[in-house]
Amino acid sequence: MSKKIKKKKKKSNILFIIIFFIGLGVLSYPMISRYYYRIEANNQVQDFKNEVSKLDKEEIARRMKLARIYNDTFVNHLEKDPYTDKEKSDAGAEYARMLELHEKIGHIQVPKIDIDIPIYAGTSEEVLQKGAGHLEGTSLPIGGNSSHTVITAHSGLPKARLFTDLNQLEIGDKFYIHNIEGVMAYQVDQIKTVEPSNFSDLLIVKGHDYATLLTCTPIMINTHRLLVRGHRVEYVAAVDEKLIADNIASFQYKYMFYASLIVIVILLMIIIHLKRKKKRIERTLRNNAAKKIVDKSKESEN
């Protein structure tokens, strides 16, 4: 093999390696950043659990009493869309101080889409970049007759899934809200896409205990709001914990399948590239050999 071909081959390899790693970085960034967010979210959830374990029953009862008083004196009226920049609530809003532990008022768990993320008071961008926010103007997430809490989170963030997969929920699926007192189970009974200014489905309905998960839709366009509402059902630890485990396992298998598919596609691309490069080299060598034969033939004739 001539020096010229070797040099050309080396340049081709370097260019391929550069392009390959750039492409791999682009493909891997969302996966890696979401993995790190997942670790951080798990840490925040665990931090909340640890702080709850330090509270005695009297302190929990005192805090919950204040939260119920707040909900009982509620004016059933909403005027603000959580994703309208000019109207966002401030992070760490004072109204939810009785439920807060290290800024968190609980965590929201949706097993079907394998998320368990902290809930903060308010819907400022600072809050929505790190977890779910409680929509101020709706009931605090403690449940109760004639209450309706709204939990909101972003969709489509490259660094965290948050509510990106909320559109996969179906009627009958369950989600869970954890607060200082315990766990509340909700079963999805309504899924709607509405205009940002339509708040009618977020209001309290007398005699009902509702929780709605809210996010922007379509992803990256954000012209509407996806509302997934659930009504309170009994939380039975033995049944619900198995349901949670089964749903998470199912989602993780699906996630692993797609991750494996990406790896296979990358490997196939490498194999195809190497085969094509080998054929090009062999063709170049054949052409060079043929050229040498022709040149020698011409020299002998002369």
Side-chain angles (χ1 to χ4, degrees):
M1 192 182 292
S2 68
K3 288 184 178 179
K4 189 176 181 180
I5 293 174
K6 286 182 179 178
K7 193 174 181 181
K8 189 176 181 181
K9 181 183 176 184
K10 189 175 180 181
K11 284 183 178 178
S12 175
N13 286 339
I14 292 171
L15 181 63
F16 172 75
I17 290 168
I18 291 171
I19 293 172
F20 172 76
F21 278 106
I22 290 172
L24 186 63
V26 171
L27 286 171
S28 302
Y29 172 73
M31 193 178 297
I32 293 170
S33 60
R34 284 170 179 173
Y35 174 75
Y36 278 108
Y37 173 79
R38 187 186 182 93
I39 293 173
E40 177 59 23
N42 288 342
N43 289 339
Q44 293 299 321
V45 168
Q46 190 57 50
D47 176 67
F48 180 80
K49 291 178 180 177
N50 292 341
E51 291 302 307
V52 169
S53 68
K54 297 176 185 177
L55 299 177
D56 57 37
K57 290 182 180 179
E58 290 75 17
E59 176 61 12
I60 290 173
R62 185 188 71 81
R63 287 169 173 254
M64 291 297 292
K65 182 180 179 181
L66 291 173
R68 290 190 180 98
I69 290 171
Y70 175 88
N71 280 358
D72 289 343
T73 57
F74 218 64
V75 177
N76 194 18
H77 184 59
L78 274 174
E79 294 181 346
K80 298 179 180 180
D81 170 44
Y83 294 98
T84 302
D85 290 337
K86 293 179 181 179
E87 298 177 339
K88 284 189 175 179
S89 304
D90 292 329
E94 293 292 333
Y95 71 92
R97 288 293 185 202
M98 75 289 283
L99 295 178
E100 283 187 351
L101 294 172
H102 287 185
E103 298 183 347
K104 296 171 285 290
I105 62 174
H107 54 105
I108 173 73
Q109 186 175 26
V110 190
K112 186 172 182 179
I113 56 176
D114 190 25
I115 64 164
D116 190 1
I117 57 177
I119 303 172
Y120 300 89
T123 56
S124 69
E125 190 58 28
E126 181 186 354
V127 161
L128 296 178
Q129 285 292 324
K130 61 184 181 181
H134 168 258
L135 179 59
E136 187 173 359
T138 69
S139 307
L140 289 171
I142 59 170
N145 189 38
S146 301
S147 69
H148 192 167
T149 190
V150 179
I151 308 299
T152 180
H154 275 313
S155 293
L157 291 185
K159 70 173 187 178
R161 294 205 69 78
L162 299 175
F163 279 0
T164 299
D165 299 312
L166 199 61
N167 57 6
Q168 294 182 23
L169 294 189
E170 299 173 331
I171 302 296
D173 289 335
K174 285 185 177 181
F175 59 88
Y176 303 86
I177 295 176
H178 302 249
N179 59 35
I180 59 173
E181 190 177 45
V183 188
M184 299 180 296
Y186 289 86
Q187 189 166 36
V188 177
D189 59 16
Q190 178 178 278
I191 299 172
K192 276 190 176 184
T193 299
V194 301
E195 297 283 343
S197 57
N198 184 354
F199 305 112
S200 60
D201 289 292
L202 303 180
L203 300 178
I204 293 169
V205 179
K206 191 174 180 180
H208 291 273
D209 184 342
Y210 286 140
T212 291
L213 309 182
L214 182 155
T215 193
C216 292
T217 192
I219 291 174
M220 305 304 292
I221 299 174
N222 303 336
T223 53
H224 291 73
R225 304 292 176 257
L226 174 63
L227 310 179
V228 178
R229 190 188 73 185
H231 64 274
R232 180 89 173 268
V233 293
E234 184 182 3
Y235 175 77
V236 182
V239 175
D240 286 289
E241 285 176 12
K242 185 179 184 306
L243 176 69
I244 290 169
D246 290 345
N247 273 274
I248 290 174
S250 175
F251 187 89
Q252 288 178 342
Y253 287 143
K254 191 188 298 183
Y255 186 81
M256 288 172 65
F257 170 76
Y258 286 118
S260 301
L261 195 62
I262 291 171
V263 172
I264 291 169
V265 169
I266 290 171
L267 289 174
L268 286 174
M269 288 172 63
I270 293 171
I271 292 169
I272 291 168
H273 171 78
L274 292 175
K275 283 185 175 181
R276 285 179 177 174
K277 190 167 71 171
K278 185 180 178 183
K279 286 181 180 179
R280 286 198 301 269
I281 292 170
E282 289 174 349
R283 188 165 55 246
T284 302
L285 290 173
R286 285 197 301 270
N287 291 339
N288 289 343
K291 187 179 178 183
K292 285 180 181 179
I293 293 170
V294 171
D295 290 342
K296 283 182 180 180
S297 174
K298 286 180 179 179
E299 286 177 5
S300 61
E301 288 175 1
N302 292 333

